[in-house]
mmCIF file of all heavy atoms in Angstrom:
data_model
loop_
_atom_site.group_PDB
_atom_site.id
_atom_site.type_symbol
_atom_site.label_atom_id
_atom_site.label_comp_id
_atom_site.label_asym_id
_atom_site.label_seq_id
_atom_site.Cartn_x
_atom_site.Cartn_y
_atom_site.Cartn_z
ATOM 1 N N THR V 871 87.105 155.486 131.197
ATOM 2 C CA THR V 871 86.587 155.973 129.902
ATOM 3 C C THR V 871 87.015 155.045 128.813
ATOM 4 O O THR V 871 87.838 154.200 128.992
ATOM 5 C CB THR V 871 87.002 157.349 129.564
ATOM 6 O OG1 THR V 871 88.405 157.359 129.317
ATOM 7 C CG2 THR V 871 86.688 158.325 130.716
ATOM 8 N N ASP V 872 86.309 155.104 127.646
ATOM 9 C CA ASP V 872 86.689 154.291 126.541
ATOM 10 C C ASP V 872 88.134 154.471 126.146
ATOM 11 O O ASP V 872 88.857 153.588 125.774
ATOM 12 C CB ASP V 872 85.808 154.523 125.345
ATOM 13 C CG ASP V 872 84.400 154.040 125.559
ATOM 14 O OD1 ASP V 872 84.195 153.160 126.410
ATOM 15 O OD2 ASP V 872 83.451 154.465 124.783
ATOM 16 N N VAL V 873 88.613 155.723 126.185
ATOM 17 C CA VAL V 873 89.955 156.108 125.835
ATOM 18 C C VAL V 873 90.886 155.481 126.838
ATOM 19 O O VAL V 873 91.960 154.912 126.415
ATOM 20 C CB VAL V 873 90.164 157.629 125.747
ATOM 21 C CG1 VAL V 873 91.602 157.991 125.601
ATOM 22 C CG2 VAL V 873 89.358 158.203 124.590
ATOM 23 N N GLU V 874 90.583 155.636 128.112
ATOM 24 C CA GLU V 874 91.454 155.058 129.088
ATOM 25 C C GLU V 874 91.523 153.519 129.066
ATOM 26 O O GLU V 874 92.558 152.895 129.156
ATOM 27 C CB GLU V 874 90.958 155.439 130.582
ATOM 28 C CG GLU V 874 91.100 156.877 130.871
ATOM 29 C CD GLU V 874 90.464 157.307 132.159
ATOM 30 O OE1 GLU V 874 89.390 156.726 132.494
ATOM 31 O OE2 GLU V 874 90.959 158.168 132.863
ATOM 32 N N GLN V 875 90.418 152.912 128.719
ATOM 33 C CA GLN V 875 90.371 151.466 128.608
ATOM 34 C C GLN V 875 91.191 151.031 127.433
ATOM 35 O O GLN V 875 91.972 150.039 127.497
ATOM 36 C CB GLN V 875 88.918 150.925 128.400
ATOM 37 C CG GLN V 875 88.807 149.449 128.394
ATOM 38 C CD GLN V 875 89.195 148.786 129.719
ATOM 39 O OE1 GLN V 875 88.705 149.155 130.801
ATOM 40 N NE2 GLN V 875 90.084 147.815 129.705
ATOM 41 N N LYS V 876 91.111 151.736 126.286
ATOM 42 C CA LYS V 876 91.931 151.415 125.148
ATOM 43 C C LYS V 876 93.419 151.502 125.458
ATOM 44 O O LYS V 876 94.180 150.656 125.082
ATOM 45 C CB LYS V 876 91.585 152.292 123.924
ATOM 46 C CG LYS V 876 92.390 151.935 122.688
ATOM 47 C CD LYS V 876 91.924 152.590 121.438
ATOM 48 C CE LYS V 876 92.695 152.274 120.242
ATOM 49 N NZ LYS V 876 93.870 151.496 120.300
ATOM 50 N N GLU V 877 93.810 152.608 126.137
ATOM 51 C CA GLU V 877 95.239 152.755 126.539
ATOM 52 C C GLU V 877 95.663 151.623 127.454
ATOM 53 O O GLU V 877 96.743 151.107 127.290
ATOM 54 C CB GLU V 877 95.435 154.047 127.246
ATOM 55 C CG GLU V 877 95.354 155.287 126.366
ATOM 56 C CD GLU V 877 95.330 156.619 127.133
ATOM 57 O OE1 GLU V 877 95.396 156.613 128.411
ATOM 58 O OE2 GLU V 877 95.263 157.696 126.483
ATOM 59 N N PHE V 878 94.803 151.280 128.383
ATOM 60 C CA PHE V 878 95.102 150.148 129.302
ATOM 61 C C PHE V 878 95.305 148.883 128.532
ATOM 62 O O PHE V 878 96.218 148.095 128.734
ATOM 63 C CB PHE V 878 94.008 150.027 130.299
ATOM 64 C CG PHE V 878 94.192 148.893 131.301
ATOM 65 C CD1 PHE V 878 94.959 149.007 132.369
ATOM 66 C CD2 PHE V 878 93.523 147.676 131.108
ATOM 67 C CE1 PHE V 878 95.203 147.957 133.322
ATOM 68 C CE2 PHE V 878 93.644 146.664 132.021
ATOM 69 C CZ PHE V 878 94.491 146.742 133.050
ATOM 70 N N ASP V 879 94.345 148.561 127.585
ATOM 71 C CA ASP V 879 94.436 147.357 126.767
ATOM 72 C C ASP V 879 95.632 147.316 125.915
ATOM 73 O O ASP V 879 96.320 146.306 125.765
ATOM 74 C CB ASP V 879 93.160 147.151 125.984
ATOM 75 C CG ASP V 879 91.900 146.918 126.830
ATOM 76 O OD1 ASP V 879 92.015 146.502 128.024
ATOM 77 O OD2 ASP V 879 90.776 147.114 126.324
ATOM 78 N N ASP V 880 95.984 148.477 125.310
ATOM 79 C CA ASP V 880 97.122 148.591 124.462
ATOM 80 C C ASP V 880 98.436 148.329 125.220
ATOM 81 O O ASP V 880 99.349 147.566 124.725
ATOM 82 C CB ASP V 880 97.219 149.880 123.704
ATOM 83 C CG ASP V 880 96.115 150.118 122.692
ATOM 84 O OD1 ASP V 880 95.453 149.165 122.285
ATOM 85 O OD2 ASP V 880 95.948 151.341 122.278
ATOM 86 N N ARG V 881 98.552 148.916 126.412
ATOM 87 C CA ARG V 881 99.729 148.628 127.226
ATOM 88 C C ARG V 881 99.826 147.196 127.626
ATOM 89 O O ARG V 881 100.937 146.643 127.611
ATOM 90 C CB ARG V 881 99.670 149.536 128.529
ATOM 91 C CG ARG V 881 100.164 150.941 128.336
ATOM 92 C CD ARG V 881 100.384 151.664 129.581
ATOM 93 N NE ARG V 881 99.330 151.519 130.563
ATOM 94 C CZ ARG V 881 98.283 152.361 130.642
ATOM 95 N NH1 ARG V 881 98.187 153.443 129.920
ATOM 96 N NH2 ARG V 881 97.374 152.165 131.606
ATOM 97 N N ASN V 882 98.722 146.590 128.028
ATOM 98 C CA ASN V 882 98.788 145.169 128.362
ATOM 99 C C ASN V 882 99.123 144.270 127.230
ATOM 100 O O ASN V 882 99.927 143.345 127.365
ATOM 101 C CB ASN V 882 97.414 144.727 128.960
ATOM 102 C CG ASN V 882 97.250 145.144 130.406
ATOM 103 O OD1 ASN V 882 98.243 145.510 131.055
ATOM 104 N ND2 ASN V 882 96.018 145.139 130.916
ATOM 105 N N LYS V 883 98.663 144.593 126.012
ATOM 106 C CA LYS V 883 98.972 143.837 124.884
ATOM 107 C C LYS V 883 100.427 144.009 124.468
ATOM 108 O O LYS V 883 101.117 142.986 124.181
ATOM 109 C CB LYS V 883 98.133 144.251 123.656
ATOM 110 C CG LYS V 883 98.367 143.467 122.387
ATOM 111 C CD LYS V 883 97.503 143.883 121.290
ATOM 112 C CE LYS V 883 97.727 143.057 119.975
ATOM 113 N NZ LYS V 883 99.030 142.627 119.722
ATOM 114 N N GLU V 884 100.946 145.214 124.565
ATOM 115 C CA GLU V 884 102.337 145.440 124.265
ATOM 116 C C GLU V 884 103.261 144.673 125.269
ATOM 117 O O GLU V 884 104.273 144.017 124.889
ATOM 118 C CB GLU V 884 102.690 146.963 124.447
ATOM 119 C CG GLU V 884 104.068 147.322 124.085
ATOM 120 C CD GLU V 884 104.387 148.795 124.179
ATOM 121 O OE1 GLU V 884 103.372 149.549 124.163
ATOM 122 O OE2 GLU V 884 105.528 149.179 124.241
ATOM 123 N N TRP V 885 102.872 144.681 126.547
ATOM 124 C CA TRP V 885 103.595 143.889 127.546
ATOM 125 C C TRP V 885 103.543 142.421 127.259
ATOM 126 O O TRP V 885 104.659 141.718 127.292
ATOM 127 C CB TRP V 885 103.085 144.209 128.977
ATOM 128 C CG TRP V 885 103.703 143.359 129.982
ATOM 129 C CD1 TRP V 885 103.179 142.273 130.674
ATOM 130 C CD2 TRP V 885 105.029 143.539 130.579
ATOM 131 N NE1 TRP V 885 104.058 141.699 131.512
ATOM 132 C CE2 TRP V 885 105.203 142.518 131.552
ATOM 133 C CE3 TRP V 885 106.059 144.438 130.342
ATOM 134 C CZ2 TRP V 885 106.356 142.392 132.258
ATOM 135 C CZ3 TRP V 885 107.189 144.317 131.123
ATOM 136 C CH2 TRP V 885 107.334 143.304 132.080
ATOM 137 N N ALA V 886 102.388 141.889 126.991
ATOM 138 C CA ALA V 886 102.209 140.476 126.660
ATOM 139 C C ALA V 886 103.033 140.112 125.335
ATOM 140 O O ALA V 886 103.697 139.006 125.354
ATOM 141 C CB ALA V 886 100.817 140.075 126.543
ATOM 142 N N ASP V 887 102.988 140.966 124.416
ATOM 143 C CA ASP V 887 103.659 140.644 123.132
ATOM 144 C C ASP V 887 105.179 140.647 123.335
ATOM 145 O O ASP V 887 105.879 140.002 122.527
ATOM 146 C CB ASP V 887 103.271 141.710 122.058
ATOM 147 C CG ASP V 887 101.912 141.565 121.548
ATOM 148 O OD1 ASP V 887 101.167 140.544 121.889
ATOM 149 O OD2 ASP V 887 101.367 142.510 120.882
ATOM 150 N N GLY V 888 105.695 141.396 124.302
ATOM 151 C CA GLY V 888 107.200 141.373 124.568
ATOM 152 C C GLY V 888 107.677 140.257 125.429
ATOM 153 O O GLY V 888 108.832 140.252 125.746
ATOM 154 N N GLN V 889 106.785 139.358 125.875
ATOM 155 C CA GLN V 889 107.222 138.316 126.742
ATOM 156 C C GLN V 889 108.351 137.377 126.150
ATOM 157 O O GLN V 889 109.300 137.127 126.901
ATOM 158 C CB GLN V 889 106.010 137.436 127.150
ATOM 159 C CG GLN V 889 106.308 136.376 128.186
ATOM 160 C CD GLN V 889 106.772 136.912 129.505
ATOM 161 O OE1 GLN V 889 106.066 137.759 130.048
ATOM 162 N NE2 GLN V 889 107.881 136.495 130.007
ATOM 163 N N SER V 890 108.258 137.124 124.970
ATOM 164 C CA SER V 890 109.288 136.227 124.385
ATOM 165 C C SER V 890 110.676 136.983 124.311
ATOM 166 O O SER V 890 111.684 136.364 124.553
ATOM 167 C CB SER V 890 108.967 135.835 122.934
ATOM 168 O OG SER V 890 108.776 136.952 122.071
ATOM 169 N N ASP V 891 110.643 138.247 124.112
ATOM 170 C CA ASP V 891 111.864 139.089 124.150
ATOM 171 C C ASP V 891 112.483 139.067 125.587
ATOM 172 O O ASP V 891 113.662 138.911 125.747
ATOM 173 C CB ASP V 891 111.680 140.514 123.699
ATOM 174 C CG ASP V 891 111.332 140.617 122.187
ATOM 175 O OD1 ASP V 891 111.767 139.663 121.478
ATOM 176 O OD2 ASP V 891 110.754 141.618 121.765
ATOM 177 N N ARG V 892 111.592 139.204 126.581
ATOM 178 C CA ARG V 892 112.129 139.266 127.914
ATOM 179 C C ARG V 892 112.569 137.881 128.411
ATOM 180 O O ARG V 892 113.584 137.749 129.078
ATOM 181 C CB ARG V 892 110.925 139.699 128.917
ATOM 182 C CG ARG V 892 110.677 141.192 128.781
ATOM 183 C CD ARG V 892 109.676 141.589 129.877
ATOM 184 N NE ARG V 892 108.452 140.875 129.914
ATOM 185 C CZ ARG V 892 107.340 141.173 129.108
ATOM 186 N NH1 ARG V 892 107.425 142.092 128.241
ATOM 187 N NH2 ARG V 892 106.271 140.417 129.249
ATOM 188 N N ASP V 893 111.918 136.785 127.891
ATOM 189 C CA ASP V 893 112.384 135.422 128.208
ATOM 190 C C ASP V 893 113.754 135.178 127.620
ATOM 191 O O ASP V 893 114.637 134.548 128.224
ATOM 192 C CB ASP V 893 111.428 134.446 127.579
ATOM 193 C CG ASP V 893 110.121 134.381 128.358
ATOM 194 O OD1 ASP V 893 110.001 134.932 129.449
ATOM 195 O OD2 ASP V 893 109.149 133.811 127.818
ATOM 196 N N LEU V 894 113.995 135.665 126.401
ATOM 197 C CA LEU V 894 115.259 135.501 125.757
ATOM 198 C C LEU V 894 116.365 136.290 126.486
ATOM 199 O O LEU V 894 117.496 135.768 126.704
ATOM 200 C CB LEU V 894 115.303 135.831 124.214
ATOM 201 C CG LEU V 894 116.545 135.631 123.484
ATOM 202 C CD1 LEU V 894 116.966 134.149 123.557
ATOM 203 C CD2 LEU V 894 116.272 136.068 122.020
ATOM 204 N N VAL V 895 116.075 137.468 126.931
ATOM 205 C CA VAL V 895 117.048 138.274 127.672
ATOM 206 C C VAL V 895 117.416 137.503 128.974
ATOM 207 O O VAL V 895 118.592 137.485 129.375
ATOM 208 C CB VAL V 895 116.445 139.692 127.987
ATOM 209 C CG1 VAL V 895 117.270 140.423 129.018
ATOM 210 C CG2 VAL V 895 116.420 140.493 126.680
ATOM 211 N N GLU V 896 116.390 136.981 129.697
ATOM 212 C CA GLU V 896 116.597 136.235 130.923
ATOM 213 C C GLU V 896 117.554 135.039 130.652
ATOM 214 O O GLU V 896 118.502 134.800 131.387
ATOM 215 C CB GLU V 896 115.292 135.796 131.495
ATOM 216 C CG GLU V 896 115.531 135.078 132.838
ATOM 217 C CD GLU V 896 114.150 134.591 133.422
ATOM 218 O OE1 GLU V 896 113.126 134.740 132.830
ATOM 219 O OE2 GLU V 896 114.223 134.027 134.514
#
Side-chain angles (χ1 to χ4, degrees):
T871 66
D872 290 342
V873 170
E874 290 171 327
Q875 185 65 51
K876 180 170 179 357
E877 289 173 357
F878 178 80
D879 292 342
D880 290 347
R881 279 194 310 271
N882 281 345
K883 182 180 182 327
E884 183 179 344
W885 176 256
D887 289 349
Q889 185 64 51
S890 61
D891 292 335
R892 289 189 303 280
D893 289 346
L894 185 56
V895 166
E896 181 183 5

